[in-house]
Amino acid sequence: MPEHDHYAARGFADIAPTEVEDFFIDGFLRAQYRPSKSFRLAQRAFGTKCSDHELLTWMRTFYGRFFATQFMRHDLPDGPRIGSAGLDLRDGFMMPTYAQGALWLDEVDALLARIGNMEH
């Protein structure tokens, strides 16, 4: 893990399997799904392999890491564009580097609280 990765440094290295991470980034970037919709779709796609709590924990880590590392995009070399979900500024990715993930993280936290209440 890179030392600038605050989530890894704080022990939040609950990284999802690659197919789940890809699922989250595709829904976020290409389809612009809110966390609640991504979660419903992830339940259908991965529900037999993963618990709801796992999916939401991974989703929270995904959003936290994604927003925490946006300032570094300007330092990265140009990379390949995959489908219509490229992260290169020259390809039209217009997310501001100062974007905050609070709305997404708050929604994931609310979903986590809801499933936590359902389990008790």
Side-chain angles (χ1 to χ4, degrees):
M1 293 285 175
E3 70 181 61
H4 61 266
D5 188 337
H6 301 292
Y7 276 80
R10 291 190 313 208
F12 292 105
D14 289 329
I15 308 296
T18 305
E19 62 271 11
V20 177
E21 288 279 324
D22 289 348
F23 186 87
F24 290 151
I25 200 164
D26 184 68
F28 179 65
L29 293 179
R30 191 185 327 217
Q32 300 173 354
Y33 293 150
R34 294 178 52 106
S36 55
K37 183 164 185 167
S38 287
F39 175 59
R40 285 192 311 270
L41 294 172
Q43 283 177 306
R44 289 189 178 148
F46 306 107
T48 59
K49 299 177 191 174
C50 311
S51 70
D52 289 351
H53 188 267
E54 281 179 314
L55 288 171
L56 287 170
T57 301
W58 291 334
M59 182 184 285
R60 190 174 201 305
T61 302
F62 164 75
Y63 286 126
R65 288 174 53 109
F66 185 85
F67 282 99
T69 59
Q70 283 309 293
F71 73 93
M72 293 184 291
R73 287 188 300 114
H74 299 292
D75 297 334
L76 296 174
D78 294 342
R81 183 176 175 116
I82 301 171
S84 62
L87 292 172
D88 189 350
L89 292 171
R90 293 182 193 103
D91 284 337
F93 184 65
M94 300 301 288
M95 184 170 180
T97 57
Y98 54 82
Q100 298 285 324
L103 293 173
W104 285 266
L105 294 172
D106 288 348
E107 189 170 332
V108 175
D109 288 341
L111 290 166
L112 274 165
R114 189 171 0 139
I115 67 158
N117 291 336
M118 293 171 66
E119 292 174 354
H120 296 296

